[in-house]
Amino acid sequence: MTVERRPLSSRPFSRNDAGVSRKTGRRRSVIARRNLRTGLLFLTPWLTGVLVLQLYPIVATFAYSFTDYNGLTFPPHWVGFKNFSQAFASEDFWTAVRNTLWWTVISVPVGLAVALALASLLNRKLRWGGLFRTLLYLPSMVPFIGAGIVFAWLFNPVGGPVNVILGFFHLPQPGWFISPGSAKPGLLFISLWEIGPTMIIFLAGLQSIPAELYEAAAIDGAKTWRRFLNITVPMLSPTLFFNLILGMIGAFSFFAQVLGASAAANNTGSQTGSMHLGDPNNSTLLYAVYVYQQMFQNFSFGYGAALSVMLTLVVALFAAILFRSARRWVFYYGEEH
């Protein structure tokens, strides 16, 4: 005797089922709306910060870049592209552009190389590796403005510890931060002193490289330099790309350290230092410093906003170029090409 089994899905759909379905749908809709309200309530502080502290300043900066706003008279007058044309006609503007390009081309590769070298040393099984890692990272905890002031004192050509040591060994004593030829190298020392975060990111990238790759290369007879070029560099390329982007953005916006160094640059011995942005002889007049000078010393907020807009566009352009080129030299382990 065979019993015919009837699937549940073949049961006829009744009106009662339709009512239950509608009630279940309404209940789910109520729960979804309640969850949405709860989620938005918890996101309110973040959304407020984004809208008030980020989105509004961006929109306001773009709007003020087409006005003659000076921070005193409101509403400002619309001047169109006058601020942008004024920038291209300014000699100080082009000085700031040249200094910033020089700074970016020199400081970013040097910083990446030094950070990678330190990370490679810390990646070895050192006895006091944790202590060395902490000591190398600690300088980056010092505020940027404080680092500039400290280095202006260390490199003070009159009585500064660095020049005193150089004089003891009968070596040349540059006029740090008061000589045009020595000001940018002094800033480079400041940037290298704060290399800790970049070094830690490189160290994390090095520790994520599979050890079996080095073991296989060593069995094949590859020397240390060959293993570095053929394994470390390709495997570290995503980390290198990340640090390159951050370094480029940081170089274009390098400001606080220059401000601190400029504040103490004229403090030679018993003289009282005073702030002269861009000194000596505009050798430290980087683009961000020029923007600050125009906005908060000359009160040309409209002109400064135009400069900020141009800086944002240039940084976005360089970032787009780097992202475009990354397809050719950034390698992700396990990714098929």
mmCIF file of all heavy atoms in Angstrom, residues 21 38 95 161 175 200 229 247 296 304:
data_model
loop_
_atom_site.group_PDB
_atom_site.id
_atom_site.type_symbol
_atom_site.label_atom_id
_atom_site.label_comp_id
_atom_site.label_asym_id
_atom_site.label_seq_id
_atom_site.Cartn_x
_atom_site.Cartn_y
_atom_site.Cartn_z
ATOM 1 N N SER A 21 0.510 37.064 6.130
ATOM 2 C CA SER A 21 1.647 37.573 5.366
ATOM 3 C C SER A 21 1.748 39.090 5.446
ATOM 4 O O SER A 21 2.830 39.649 5.605
ATOM 5 C CB SER A 21 1.535 37.122 3.910
ATOM 6 O OG SER A 21 2.600 37.641 3.147
ATOM 7 N N THR A 38 17.364 53.947 15.255
ATOM 8 C CA THR A 38 18.385 53.692 16.276
ATOM 9 C C THR A 38 19.782 53.872 15.709
ATOM 10 O O THR A 38 20.657 54.476 16.337
ATOM 11 C CB THR A 38 18.224 52.270 16.841
ATOM 12 O OG1 THR A 38 16.898 52.108 17.344
ATOM 13 C CG2 THR A 38 19.234 52.019 17.957
ATOM 14 N N THR A 95 57.209 81.164 -6.109
ATOM 15 C CA THR A 95 58.265 80.742 -5.182
ATOM 16 C C THR A 95 57.771 79.614 -4.289
ATOM 17 O O THR A 95 58.478 78.621 -4.056
ATOM 18 C CB THR A 95 58.725 81.927 -4.316
ATOM 19 O OG1 THR A 95 59.230 82.961 -5.166
ATOM 20 C CG2 THR A 95 59.804 81.504 -3.339
ATOM 21 N N PRO A 161 73.441 73.069 19.961
ATOM 22 C CA PRO A 161 74.212 71.845 20.208
ATOM 23 C C PRO A 161 74.797 71.219 18.949
ATOM 24 O O PRO A 161 75.915 70.707 18.979
ATOM 25 C CB PRO A 161 73.187 70.912 20.864
ATOM 26 C CG PRO A 161 72.173 71.819 21.465
ATOM 27 C CD PRO A 161 72.095 73.004 20.554
ATOM 28 N N GLY A 175 74.532 77.656 8.656
ATOM 29 C CA GLY A 175 73.605 78.588 9.312
ATOM 30 C C GLY A 175 72.192 78.073 9.227
ATOM 31 O O GLY A 175 71.356 78.619 8.501
ATOM 32 N N ILE A 200 56.470 52.119 11.194
ATOM 33 C CA ILE A 200 55.621 51.073 11.759
ATOM 34 C C ILE A 200 54.774 50.413 10.676
ATOM 35 O O ILE A 200 54.576 49.187 10.673
ATOM 36 C CB ILE A 200 54.722 51.659 12.864
ATOM 37 C CG1 ILE A 200 55.573 52.085 14.060
ATOM 38 C CG2 ILE A 200 53.670 50.667 13.295
ATOM 39 C CD1 ILE A 200 56.309 50.958 14.734
ATOM 40 N N LEU A 229 65.240 42.633 -3.730
ATOM 41 C CA LEU A 229 64.673 43.185 -4.965
ATOM 42 C C LEU A 229 63.553 42.324 -5.528
ATOM 43 O O LEU A 229 62.556 42.846 -6.042
ATOM 44 C CB LEU A 229 65.780 43.334 -6.020
ATOM 45 C CG LEU A 229 66.836 44.423 -5.784
ATOM 46 C CD1 LEU A 229 67.860 44.426 -6.905
ATOM 47 C CD2 LEU A 229 66.194 45.797 -5.641
ATOM 48 N N GLY A 247 52.685 60.173 2.205
ATOM 49 C CA GLY A 247 53.840 61.064 2.185
ATOM 50 C C GLY A 247 53.657 62.231 1.234
ATOM 51 O O GLY A 247 54.043 63.367 1.550
ATOM 52 N N PHE A 296 45.825 84.497 7.344
ATOM 53 C CA PHE A 296 45.835 84.873 8.757
ATOM 54 C C PHE A 296 46.829 85.975 9.098
ATOM 55 O O PHE A 296 46.867 86.416 10.245
ATOM 56 C CB PHE A 296 46.119 83.640 9.610
ATOM 57 C CG PHE A 296 45.094 82.562 9.451
ATOM 58 C CD1 PHE A 296 45.367 81.437 8.693
ATOM 59 C CD2 PHE A 296 43.841 82.689 10.018
ATOM 60 C CE1 PHE A 296 44.422 80.441 8.529
ATOM 61 C CE2 PHE A 296 42.884 81.700 9.854
ATOM 62 C CZ PHE A 296 43.178 80.575 9.110
ATOM 63 N N GLY A 304 43.143 83.335 -0.078
ATOM 64 C CA GLY A 304 43.618 82.109 0.548
ATOM 65 C C GLY A 304 42.735 80.916 0.234
ATOM 66 O O GLY A 304 43.227 79.797 0.056
#
